[in-house]
Each structure stands twice: as structure tokens, then as C-alpha cells.
Amino acid sequence: MKGRYLSLAAIGAALCTTAATLTGCAGVTGDNEVTLRVVAADYGDNPKNSSTGWWKDLAAGFEKTHPGTKVEVSVYNWSEVDAKVAAMVKAGKAPDIAQIGAYADYAAAGKLYTADEILSVKTEADFLPALADAGKIRRVQYGMPFVASTRLLFYNEKLLGDAGVIPKDSKAGWQPKSWADLEAAAKKLKAAGVATPFALPLGREEAQAETMMWMLAGGGGYTDNEEAYAIDSAENVKTFEFLRDKLVGQGLTGPNEPAKTDRQAAFDAFTRGEVGMLNGHPTLIKQAAEKGVKVGMVPLPTADGTDHPTMGVADWIMAFKNGRRAQSGKFLDYLYETKNVTAFTGKYDLLPVTTSGYRAVESAGGSAAQLKTFLQALPNARLYPVGKKSWAGVSEDVKQNIGRAVQPGAQPAKVLEGIATAARTADGR
């Protein structure tokens, strides 16, 4: 009998060796056990709150209810995770599931399962529509949203109160409606001696986000209604003329050039009480509270006071065609259960991407209540054009050049035209 089992093992090894050229059979182990290989990004900012713990617990919970399937998760910093996955794919050893920043290149290369191939109908239908749409290429969904975030205008309540922007007897806080309100408030803050009335981080760290927030508030955006790049639209030009003339030109953005100011540097200055206003995401709530800064949060006012979409950001999960579709699908269905979605978003002050998770956070109290203003903006938010293969290059171009559009004496139309022309060329239009 022993020899018989050895022969079966040898046959299995031979089959795996043959199949490796087709599927990278690294996921098949002894006794017909399948191992799913997952690569994910780390959302923590120190070892104590690393995402590794959440993924470990998720894998353990899944394995208990799905005997025969093991899950091995590798968690990398955001600075390296995309490159790690790219290297694995290039070497023919793509993970079964990757949680990274973009999916379009892999989808275009035919390496990914579609959402309807991998997910149950219940899970697929649970995604918030705006996020599901952002995961589509030619109306087919490849990218599955993992977590989301929106942006709001943060302001330092004490600084605005001391400057007379917020009346002392006001219980409603500050409710700006238009860019004229922002300009007026920034002037009062400057007169009161605030170092940076309005922080405008157009440095490399996240210039593409700051840019999109202002474009949307001005009635424009990166693309038009046909999803073609429209970076040099008349609306976008007017937006950057406002920033150049009314904020930067009047000395309302502080001593540092916007092109040389990164987001985290602006956040740090805000938590030190040196900034009156800036655009921020949910993690800034906790950072400010830890430093004793009391903040107000409102949607970024629009150019003329009328409603425009706000910006949303999502990170993505994708499933590679490694021949383990059924197991990958079951794992993703488990991942998107409400308890698991809200455990992760609650840990990192992010927003759920599912309708069930949205409702759970919406009805929650405690610390989750602070996220509700962000949450309310999510269903109608507009996201980066991540379905375009060209987006990564366009985003990098924005990071490198958009700061020049707000320098004194600059011509925003020319800067935007240069970025737009390169974008349309890369997009094949």
C-alpha cells in the first residue's frame, strides 16, 4: 500500500509540473488541498496597526468554513505592492488575488476574471453602483472595489472663530457655498496672522487628487461625459485661473509653493494649528484629534454655489486567471460579507464599497458617526478614470506639472493643454 501511495504522489507531482506551464500550479498542495495566494497593500502606518493582522484573521475565518482551501497572504507597503505584483505577473507567477491600486493593464492583457465570472450574484449586486462602474472597461467589470474614500473641506474651528469667519454664537459652524466664500474666509485668516489660510498641496504626493477636487467643483473634471480626456476644458482653465489669482496670487496659500507642498506636509501643518483650511480625507480626523485640533468638515464649495459631484477614491481587488476560479470566488464572497467589510473600514477610517456595508456604517453610532458626512458623498462621487490603461501615465504627468499652472504669471491654459494632449495621445484619441 505504501508504494501505491508513493506512485499516486509521483503522478500528482508530474501532473502539477505539466500544469504549471498553464496555470502556475503553485496553488495545488497535497491531499487535493488548494492554496490561494493573495497579495495586499498595507494601510497601517506602524507595525501595531498593520493590515497583516486583519488579513490573517480573514484567512483563518475562511479556512474554518472552507476545508480544503488554504489562504496565504503577503502584505506589502503601498510604495512597493504594485511593483511586487507586476514582477510576479511578468515572471508568470501572478497571485490568485491582488489588492492594489489599478487593474486596467491586467484586464487589457486578458489576465483577469470578470466580476460575474468570479463572484456570486449577491456579492456582485451589492457593490455601490458608482464604484462598480469605475471598475468596468467597455461595460465589463474587472476591478472589484475594496475600500473607498471621499474628500471634504476641513477647517480649524478655533482659527476661523478667532478670525471672525464663524460667528461666536453660531451653532451650525461654517457653511460656505461658493469659492467667493473661501476667498473671503482666507483673507480674514491672513489678516488674523494665520500662516497658511488655505493649504494647496500640488506636490507629487497626491497632486492628482487635489487637482480633481478643484476641477469637479469648477464644473469640469479629467474626462467629459463620453469618457474622453477633457483636462484642458474651459471649466478647468477657469478653475486654475481662480487658484492662481485668488488664492496663490493674494498670498493665501502660505509661504510654500503649492508645487512643492505634499499632502502629508499640509496635513501635519494643519494638526499643528498652522493651517486654516484644506481638503482632506477621513484619516485627518484622527490625526487632528490626537493633536487637540477641533475641526469642522463641509463639502468643498463650488465655483458658483451650485451642486457638482465630489471626488471619490477606491482601491481595487482583482482575480487572476490561475485556474482556481471557484476557490477565489468563494474567498471574495467571504471577504465582502458585511462584518468583514466594516471591520476593515472601521479600523482605517475608510468607507465601505457595498450597499450592505454602507447601511451598516450609516446606522452606526460612536466613532463611525464622524464618517457620515464622507459617506453621504460616496454614492454620487466621481472617481479617477482608472479603467483607462493610460491613466497611470496621465496621473504621473499631473503630479509633475500641475503645480506650474498656479504660479504667479503662469498660463493655466497652456499647462493644461500640454497634459491633455499627452493624455489623448496615450489614450489613442
Side-chain angles (χ1 to χ4, degrees):
M1 294 295 290
K2 181 178 180 182
R4 179 172 179 266
Y5 282 117
L6 286 173
S7 296
L8 289 174
I11 292 170
L15 289 173
C16 187
T17 301
T18 301
T21 60
L22 300 175
T23 66
C25 197
V28 179
T29 57
D31 298 324
N32 295 320
E33 187 176 76
V34 172
T35 297
L36 292 178
R37 293 180 298 119
V38 180
V39 173
D42 195 346
Y43 287 75
D45 56 10
N46 62 71
K48 291 183 179 179
N49 71 351
S50 169
S51 303
T52 301
W54 182 86
W55 282 103
K56 182 179 179 181
D57 292 343
L58 185 79
F62 176 79
E63 290 170 357
K64 284 183 181 179
T65 54
H66 296 78
T69 303
K70 289 193 64 176
V71 181
E72 293 181 355
V73 184
S74 300
V75 177
Y76 298 99
N77 290 331
W78 268 111
S79 61
E80 60 178 343
V81 67
D82 289 318
K84 289 282 187 181
V85 171
M88 293 174 187
V89 173
K90 186 176 181 180
K93 298 179 179 179
D96 295 291
I97 295 168
Q99 183 269 299
I100 51 178
Y103 63 86
D105 283 357
Y106 301 124
K111 295 183 180 297
L112 303 181
Y113 289 116
T114 63
D116 63 358
E117 288 176 326
I118 199 86
L119 300 175
S120 68
V121 172
K122 179 182 177 182
T123 299
E124 187 181 4
D126 199 25
F127 290 129
L128 291 169
L131 302 179
D133 287 345
K136 294 178 180 178
I137 298 176
R138 293 184 292 277
R139 300 183 181 179
V140 178
Q141 185 178 357
Y142 294 90
M144 293 163 276
F146 177 61
V147 291
S149 177
T150 55
R151 301 292 194 264
L152 293 175
L153 176 67
F154 281 65
Y155 62 88
N156 183 312
E157 290 189 356
K158 183 179 187 304
L159 293 182
L160 267 68
D162 291 347
V165 176
I166 304 174
K168 292 184 179 180
D169 57 350
S170 174
K171 295 182 180 180
W174 185 45
Q175 299 294 328
K177 298 298 181 185
S178 69
W179 290 352
D181 295 333
L182 292 185
E183 180 187 354
K187 287 180 177 178
K188 288 183 178 181
L189 288 165
K190 182 180 180 181
V194 175
T196 303
F198 199 113
L200 186 65
L202 292 176
R204 282 188 47 83
E205 183 183 355
E206 208 186 29
Q208 82 284 2
E210 188 75 16
T211 295
M212 186 171 177
M213 282 182 270
W214 285 102
M215 284 179 170
L216 290 174
Y222 281 119
T223 58
D224 59 21
N225 291 334
E226 302 300 321
E227 294 305 314
Y229 283 116
I231 297 168
D232 54 351
S233 69
E235 292 84 359
N236 291 341
V237 171
K238 289 180 180 178
T239 291
F240 278 86
E241 287 175 346
F242 167 82
L243 295 175
R244 177 197 63 188
D245 298 337
K246 301 300 184 180
L247 293 187
V248 178
Q250 297 189 88
L252 303 179
T253 55
N256 299 319
E257 288 183 45
K260 297 179 181 179
T261 302
D262 283 339
R263 179 195 63 185
Q264 191 57 53
F267 280 14
D268 291 344
F270 184 82
T271 63
R272 293 194 299 267
E274 300 168 3
V275 173
M277 301 173 281
L278 83 171
N279 292 313
H281 54 64
T283 58
L284 185 55
I285 299 173
K286 186 178 295 184
Q287 292 176 17
E290 289 174 350
K291 296 295 181 67
V293 175
K294 191 172 181 181
V295 303
M297 296 174 291
V298 294
L300 177 65
T302 61
D304 57 4
T306 61
D307 290 340
H308 293 306
T310 188
M311 187 189 81
V313 177
D315 297 324
W316 303 94
I317 284 185
M318 58 218 69
F320 284 87
K321 291 181 177 179
N322 286 348
R324 291 177 282 280
R325 182 173 71 176
Q327 294 87 351
S328 294
K330 289 178 181 179
F331 178 71
L332 289 171
D333 284 339
Y334 181 76
L335 181 152
Y336 282 112
E337 289 181 11
T338 302
K339 64 179 181 180
N340 295 324
V341 168
T342 55
F344 191 90
T345 57
K347 182 178 178 68
Y348 295 107
D349 294 324
L350 294 164
L351 303 180
V353 298
T354 59
T355 300
S356 58
Y358 179 97
R359 289 171 178 165
V361 174
E362 192 176 38
S363 62
S367 60
Q370 292 182 306
L371 296 176
K372 288 182 181 179
T373 306
F374 290 93
L375 196 68
Q376 290 163 1
L378 187 57
N380 296 316
R382 289 189 63 179
L383 282 74
Y384 299 132
V386 289
K388 292 179 176 290
K389 286 180 61 178
S390 56
W391 169 243
V394 173
S395 175
E396 182 62 27
D397 199 2
V398 170
K399 290 179 182 180
Q400 291 183 7
N401 294 299
I402 198 65
R404 296 189 293 110
V406 301
Q407 293 173 345
Q411 297 185 48
K414 286 191 174 182
V415 175
L416 295 175
E417 182 184 6
I419 298 172
T421 299
R424 286 191 280 264
T425 300
D427 200 40
R429 297 196 183 215

